């Protein structure tokens, strides 16, 4: 999700301004710190500019050629082997088998945020002499209870309905996204609510129209207004949406042609340490294809699609992470949308309340930990196993690489190390999660102890299931 560095100067790339004295009750040491405050300006996504200039078009063309070759190979196999056109799309249909019931639950999740809006608005009108946090613990308790319920009930539906991977990701990722949106709305309007409760005058409370726009615009930081484009380009939005569908097909082709034939027929009872380690390298090619295509599909096409529909003008959702000069820059540039939220509501708060360098280090550690936990939550729930590959990659290896990267001064050497790390990481993800997925679906018997079976991968010590 992101990594944070304390910034004590103005950053033109991210168009942030600096705020001092972030909270009135912080210590004297903290008051001398400078913190960024997110500002929104009109700007295009980096790849939009690069495609127009022709600098990245060759990469796009190469991936398009690979996609066409994959699709041609699948078409030949469908027609001549399976005697059924588009047979290879079985994985897509399997993943989205319960899409409509999933979206019904998503609708309920979204509607619940309207209750938060009205409850927060009403609570802000209740007079109170004390506006400090301690005096408002009942409201905070109710808010935290809402968040717990907001995560619990969709997750309950997910397991009871036995959703497949894609629909599971919709539930877990959307609970996270909407919760982040709600938290930003609460936080950004807290001072306004306190002023209102104490009898002071405020310009205006956010309208429902502003709240709804924020819920769907591609930003996790609430503002009453955002820079807007002059007109809505629905044709361009449609093209972005078609590219998103093409990305789903690309990932499907990669799995059905590279991953499924390899993992489905593997004899898991004969796996040993060397076989498992070598499988990591087999997973590198499909892994890096999925990483790059999903980055392009989600952070470029999907977010730009919503930007076009909503006339949202600030489209800097990422920067050139592929050419980063250190690990902090890579994590920051990979996903600026999430980075802004982590900086504003995790790093900045902790660094403000804990004095000195200790606060900065604690805040950085909290960001790494939170990112790792939620990545593991998304993938662990989708694949129905506790196999903390994502947690290890983000929190342990990512933390180590973050520290080591500061010692690498040669930009070319660092960039090589970055891509080495990405390739190994994607290979681990494909191989280890894939093997455990099939091990738990009829290839390996469960451990006799239920807790051990939950916490330990079956393919590490696979025993053939009893007939």
């Amino acid at each position: 999700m992101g990594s944070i560095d304390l910034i004590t100067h103005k950053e033109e790339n991210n168009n942030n301004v600096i705020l001092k004295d972030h909270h009135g009750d912080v210590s004297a040491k903290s008051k001398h710190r400078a913190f960024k405050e997110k500002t929104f300006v009109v700007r295009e996504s980096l790849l939009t500019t690069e495609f127009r200039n022709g600098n990245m078009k060759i990469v796009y063309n190469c991936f398009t050629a690979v996609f066409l070759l994959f699709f041609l190979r699948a078409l030949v196999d469908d027609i001549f082997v399976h005697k059924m056109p588009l047979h290879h799309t079985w994985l897509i249909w399997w993943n989205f088998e319960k899409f409509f019931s999933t979206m019904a639950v998503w609708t309920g999740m979204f509607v619940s945020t309207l209750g938060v809006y009205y409850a927060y608005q009403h609570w802000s009108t209740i007079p109170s002499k004390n506006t400090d946090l301690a005096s408002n613990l009942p409201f905070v308790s109710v808010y935290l209870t809402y968040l717990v319920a907001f995560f619990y009930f969709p997750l309950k539906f997910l397991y009871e309905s036995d959703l497949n991977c894609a629909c599971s990701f919709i539930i877990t990722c959307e609970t996270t996204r909407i919760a982040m949106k709600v938290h930003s709305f609460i936080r950004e309007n807290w001072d306004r609510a306190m002023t209102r409760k104490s009898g002071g005058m405020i310009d205006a409370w956010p309208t429902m129209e502003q709240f709804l726009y924020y819920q769907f615009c591609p930003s996790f930081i609430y503002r009453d207004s955002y820079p807007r484009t002059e007109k809505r380009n629905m044709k361009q939005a449609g093209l972005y949406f078609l590219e998103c569908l093409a990305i789903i097909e690309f990932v499907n082709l990669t799995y059905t042609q590279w991953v499924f034939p390899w993992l489905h027929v593997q004899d898991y009872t004969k796996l040993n340490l060397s076989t498992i380690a070598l499988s990591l390298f087999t997973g590198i090619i499909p892994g890096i294809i999925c990483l790059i295509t999903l980055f392009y599909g989600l952070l470029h096409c999907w977010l730009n699609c919503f930007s076009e529909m909503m006339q949202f003008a600030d489209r800097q959702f990422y920067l050139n992470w592929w050419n980063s000069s250190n690990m902090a820059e890579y994590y920051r540039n990979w996903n600026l949308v999430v980075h802004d939220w982590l900086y504003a509501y995790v790093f900045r708060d902790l660094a403000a309340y804990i004095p000195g360098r200790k606060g900065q280090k604690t805040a950085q550690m909290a960001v790494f930990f939170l990112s790792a936990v939620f990545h593991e939550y998304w993938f662990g729930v989708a694949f129905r196993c506790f196999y903390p590959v994502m947690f290890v990659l983000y929190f342990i290896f990512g933390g180590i690489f973050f520290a080591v990267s500061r010692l690498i001064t040669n930009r070319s050497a660092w960039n090589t190390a970055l891509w080495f790390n990405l390739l190994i990481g994607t290979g681990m993800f494909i191989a280890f999660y894939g093997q455990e997925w099939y091990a738990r679906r009829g290839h390996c018997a469960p451990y006799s102890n239920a807790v051990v079976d939950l916490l330990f991968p079956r393919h590490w010590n696979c025993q053939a299931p009893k007939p």
Side-chain angles (χ1 to χ4, degrees), residues 300-406:
H300 183 76
C301 297
W302 187 253
L303 296 185
N304 272 288
C305 177
F306 274 82
S307 295
E308 289 290 353
M309 289 190 292
M310 305 189 69
Q311 298 176 257
F312 186 83
D314 191 346
R315 302 177 183 181
Q316 191 179 79
F317 308 125
Y318 54 87
L319 288 172
N320 59 336
W321 56 267
W322 51 88
N323 196 31
S324 302
S325 59
N326 57 65
M327 197 65 181
E329 185 180 331
Y330 161 73
Y331 276 126
R332 192 162 53 239
N333 292 348
W334 167 263
N335 188 340
L336 292 178
V337 183
V338 172
H339 167 268
D340 290 336
W341 190 93
L342 287 170
Y343 179 86
Y345 308 121
V346 179
F347 177 85
R348 196 168 64 184
D349 286 353
L350 287 174
Y353 284 110
I354 303 176
R357 296 286 296 177
K358 181 181 178 181
Q360 181 183 346
K361 296 297 183 183
T362 301
Q364 287 179 342
M365 185 69 69
V367 169
F368 270 112
F369 182 78
L370 196 63
S371 300
V373 165
F374 273 94
H375 278 83
E376 190 59 42
Y377 163 65
W378 300 330
F379 287 95
V381 169
F383 297 134
R384 305 294 198 276
C385 66
F386 179 77
Y387 198 150
V389 174
M390 297 302 293
F391 184 85
V392 170
L393 286 175
Y394 270 82
F395 188 61
I396 299 178
F397 290 167
I400 294 172
F401 200 46
F402 176 80
V404 172
S405 68
R406 295 175 179 270

Side-chain angles (χ1 to χ4, degrees), residues 403-422:
V404 172
S405 68
R406 295 175 179 270
L407 305 177
I408 305 175
T409 56
N410 184 284
R411 190 179 185 91
S412 178
W414 151 250
N415 200 246
T416 302
L418 167 67
W419 281 100
F420 178 87
N421 186 50
L422 289 177

Side-chain angles (χ1 to χ4, degrees), residues 2 39 44 91 100 111 208 329 333 365 381-382 396 434:
T39 57
E44 293 181 320
L91 185 58
F100 293 107
V111 169
M208 176 56 73
E329 185 180 331
N333 292 348
M365 185 69 69
V381 169
I396 299 178

Side-chain angles (χ1 to χ4, degrees), residues 135-154:
S135 301
N136 292 285
L137 283 180
F139 171 80
V140 174
S141 299
V142 171
Y143 169 58
L144 293 177
T145 302
Y146 164 78
L147 289 180
V148 171
F150 184 78
F151 277 89
Y152 171 76
F153 287 107

Side-chain angles (χ1 to χ4, degrees), residues 187-462:
R187 283 293 311 279
E188 295 299 329
N189 288 289
W190 184 263
D191 289 341
R192 187 181 288 177
M194 293 299 101
T195 302
R196 201 179 190 184
K197 289 177 73 66
S198 61
M201 296 296 294
I202 61 174
D203 293 336
W205 188 259
T207 65
M208 176 56 73
E209 181 182 358
Q210 290 172 320
F211 180 77
L212 289 176
Y213 182 88
Y214 164 65
Q215 283 294 319
F216 290 97
C217 79
S219 171
F220 284 130
I221 305 296
Y222 174 79
R223 295 290 184 267
D224 288 339
S225 63
Y226 301 89
R228 308 280 284 270
T229 57
E230 293 182 359
K231 56 183 179 180
R232 183 179 288 107
N233 190 340
M234 293 304 295
K235 179 181 177 181
Q236 186 61 49
L239 291 175
Y240 280 129
F241 183 71
L242 288 176
E243 283 192 290
C244 290
L245 296 180
I247 291 296
I248 293 174
E249 171 65 351
F250 201 170
V251 173
N252 174 66
L253 290 168
T254 303
Y255 269 82
T256 54
Q257 295 184 25
W258 284 76
V259 181
F260 177 76
W262 153 46
L263 292 176
H264 181 64
V265 300
Q266 199 167 41
D267 188 349
Y268 288 86
T269 60
K270 296 181 179 179
L271 288 182
N272 52 43
L273 182 61
S274 61
T275 309
I276 295 173
L278 287 173
S279 67
L280 181 156
F281 297 95
T282 309
I284 285 177
I285 298 299
I288 201 65
I289 289 175
C290 291
L291 176 73
I292 294 175
T293 53
L294 288 174
F295 156 75
Y296 180 74
L298 289 173
L299 291 174
H300 183 76
C301 297
W302 187 253
L303 296 185
N304 272 288
C305 177
F306 274 82
S307 295
E308 289 290 353
M309 289 190 292
M310 305 189 69
Q311 298 176 257
F312 186 83
D314 191 346
R315 302 177 183 181
Q316 191 179 79
F317 308 125
Y318 54 87
L319 288 172
N320 59 336
W321 56 267
W322 51 88
N323 196 31
S324 302
S325 59
N326 57 65
M327 197 65 181
E329 185 180 331
Y330 161 73
Y331 276 126
R332 192 162 53 239
N333 292 348
W334 167 263
N335 188 340
L336 292 178
V337 183
V338 172
H339 167 268
D340 290 336
W341 190 93
L342 287 170
Y343 179 86
Y345 308 121
V346 179
F347 177 85
R348 196 168 64 184
D349 286 353
L350 287 174
Y353 284 110
I354 303 176
R357 296 286 296 177
K358 181 181 178 181
Q360 181 183 346
K361 296 297 183 183
T362 301
Q364 287 179 342
M365 185 69 69
V367 169
F368 270 112
F369 182 78
L370 196 63
S371 300
V373 165
F374 273 94
H375 278 83
E376 190 59 42
Y377 163 65
W378 300 330
F379 287 95
V381 169
F383 297 134
R384 305 294 198 276
C385 66
F386 179 77
Y387 198 150
V389 174
M390 297 302 293
F391 184 85
V392 170
L393 286 175
Y394 270 82
F395 188 61
I396 299 178
F397 290 167
I400 294 172
F401 200 46
F402 176 80
V404 172
S405 68
R406 295 175 179 270
L407 305 177
I408 305 175
T409 56
N410 184 284
R411 190 179 185 91
S412 178
W414 151 250
N415 200 246
T416 302
L418 167 67
W419 281 100
F420 178 87
N421 186 50
L422 289 177
L423 291 167
I424 289 293
T426 55
M428 289 175 61
F429 170 78
I430 293 292
F432 297 165
Y433 273 121
Q435 288 174 341
E436 186 60 17
W437 169 267
Y438 283 103
R440 289 180 177 269
R441 273 147 191 83
H443 290 268
C444 300
Y447 295 108
S448 56
N449 186 293
V451 176
V452 173
D453 189 56
L454 175 67
L455 298 178
F456 287 89
R458 291 184 192 176
H459 76 96
W460 284 3
N461 184 27
C462 182

